Amino acid sequence: MDFKDLLDFSKDKKILHTTHTKSDCDGISSIYWGINVFGGDYYIPEFELRTASGLIKILNLKTGGNVGFKRYDLIFIYDTERSENVDFLPQNIPYVIFDHHPARDTEFLNNAIYKFNRKASANVINLYDISIENNLALSDDVLFSFAVALYTDTAMFRTARGAEFEYLSKFLKNRKFEEILETIYFEKIDKESFIDQISKTQFFEINSLSVAVCRLNSQDEYYAYIDSLFDVLSLDVFIGILPEGIKVHVKKRHVQKVYHRILVQLQKGMNIKRDHGVWLNFFDYNLILEALKKYES
């Protein structure tokens, strides 16, 4: 089945569009594309990040709610190729996958009646390319949501290259970049709490790596720290201690030597479950500091 076959196949069917748990802007924007292209209903799992909250509001969407999943004929799944990330869905309904991650859950992918799983920095890049290839007109609202998703899925452009900026120019059109910032920071954080937490940051120098450790109240505070202080403080590694576990941010140039060779090996060796970058129920940051001593510049 190709994309045009999917368009024909979907007609007159009860369709539900959804994304992974702890939904983010890329998944939400993908859902918005889906309901505009194929019609149907949607279900956005409850989110945690304020970036997602802002996008949901400007698109006039909502999260959660009681959904009778079994009444749908076809489910569109966006921004994940792992069944565990959509474990709220029934297992006997035909489904479609649009994703941009490496193919890890091959069984889940292969059982889809249609899949588009091409590696990209954000799922919205794939959706844009599909739309152009099939002469689908996209509204300015859909395109702007793509811009927000691309910005957030590239760690606020920290991992972006020239190609991503070319896509951004197509997504933004005549809108200002500032509108992206107004969207993702639509929800306010508790300033007093944030300032109190960051004042307790601990700093370490380990084998030429500048490392900071800070206990934070939420992932919103974690990303606020990354956005505002990581580069300003010339950090190489930031260890955020969250209520649900530890989340580590590594400067791009150290990803291979620090993240993949040291941190991933530590996480797997200790059999720590990781969900959306968080080492769940793991709080002993000293083990990470000790592991970083293996780093060789």
Side-chain angles (χ1 to χ4, degrees):
M1 180 185 294
D2 61 21
F3 186 78
K4 290 181 179 178
D5 292 330
L6 179 64
L7 286 170
D8 292 334
F9 179 79
S10 302
K11 290 177 180 177
D12 302 321
K13 287 187 171 55
K14 292 180 181 177
I15 298 173
L16 181 73
H17 302 270
T18 192
T19 186
H20 54 80
T21 52
K22 297 182 181 178
S23 48
D24 58 14
C25 291
D26 198 25
I28 292 162
S29 179
S30 297
I31 286 175
Y32 193 64
W33 172 86
I35 58 180
N36 276 271
V37 172
F38 292 92
D41 302 326
Y42 67 91
Y43 173 72
I44 300 175
E46 295 291 347
F47 58 91
E48 294 183 358
L49 302 182
R50 67 200 265 212
T51 53
S53 175
L55 184 60
I56 286 167
K57 281 185 168 61
I58 70 161
L59 296 178
N60 293 315
L61 300 174
K62 60 182 181 180
T63 60
N66 295 319
V67 178
F69 295 111
K70 293 182 179 179
R71 68 188 180 90
Y72 291 97
D73 303 317
L74 183 61
I75 297 177
F76 282 63
I77 298 169
Y78 301 97
D79 196 31
T80 184
E81 62 8 306
R82 302 178 72 171
S83 59
E84 65 187 70
N85 290 335
V86 287
D87 57 6
F88 52 86
L89 293 174
Q91 297 183 1
N92 58 345
I93 299 177
Y95 60 90
V96 169
I97 295 176
F98 288 95
D99 184 50
H100 69 108
H101 298 98
R104 294 162 292 189
D105 192 341
T106 53
E107 181 180 359
F108 186 57
L109 276 169
N110 292 335
N111 286 334
I113 65 166
Y114 174 89
K115 61 180 181 290
F116 192 95
N117 180 243
R118 183 176 66 192
K119 190 175 179 181
S121 54
N123 196 48
V124 295
I125 285 180
N126 289 341
L127 299 183
Y128 179 80
D129 287 343
I130 291 170
S131 301
I132 296 302
E133 291 166 8
N134 290 277
N135 298 313
L136 299 178
L138 300 178
S139 69
D140 287 350
D141 286 342
V142 170
L143 289 172
F144 179 71
S145 76
F146 281 9
V148 175
L150 180 59
Y151 181 65
T152 54
D153 242 42
T154 54
M156 314 313 184
F157 284 156
R158 286 181 177 84
T159 60
R161 296 180 174 86
E164 282 76 23
F165 286 100
E166 288 185 20
Y167 278 103
L168 180 72
S169 67
K170 298 171 183 177
F171 298 164
L172 270 183
K173 299 180 73 173
N174 293 322
R175 300 177 79 156
K176 296 179 179 177
F177 176 76
E178 185 179 28
E179 293 184 53
I180 295 178
L181 301 181
E182 290 172 347
T183 298
I184 65 174
Y185 299 128
F186 182 88
E187 295 284 350
K188 293 180 174 58
I189 63 171
D190 186 327
K191 293 186 286 292
E192 289 76 16
S193 171
F194 180 60
I195 292 171
D196 178 60
Q197 293 303 112
I198 64 176
S199 69
K200 301 172 185 175
T201 301
Q202 301 177 69
F203 296 97
F204 304 87
E205 293 296 324
I206 303 175
N207 292 359
S208 78
L209 293 174
S210 180
V211 183
V213 179
C214 185
R215 188 175 298 276
L216 299 166
N217 294 316
S218 67
Q219 290 209 43
D220 283 341
E221 288 189 353
Y222 173 87
Y223 284 109
Y225 198 113
I226 299 300
D227 293 347
S228 59
L229 294 173
F230 186 85
D231 291 313
V232 171
L233 296 174
S234 300
L235 297 176
D236 297 300
V237 180
F238 176 66
I239 302 171
I241 307 171
L242 304 171
E244 62 268 37
I246 279 178
K247 190 176 177 75
V248 183
H249 184 80
V250 178
K251 190 178 284 293
K252 178 66 175 177
R253 69 170 178 264
H254 298 308
V255 166
Q256 287 299 324
K257 287 188 176 182
V258 173
Y259 189 78
H260 291 296
R261 295 182 187 175
I262 298 176
L263 299 183
V264 170
Q265 299 308 313
L266 175 65
Q267 176 240 325
K268 290 182 177 179
M270 297 187 66
N271 199 28
I272 300 168
K273 184 177 180 181
R274 187 168 65 93
D275 184 31
H276 293 82
V278 178
W279 296 18
L280 296 176
N281 300 310
F282 175 79
F283 303 96
D284 191 350
Y285 65 88
N286 286 303
L287 289 177
I288 297 178
L289 296 178
E290 188 65 28
L292 290 176
K293 292 179 181 178
K294 300 176 183 177
Y295 171 74
E296 296 179 0
S297 58

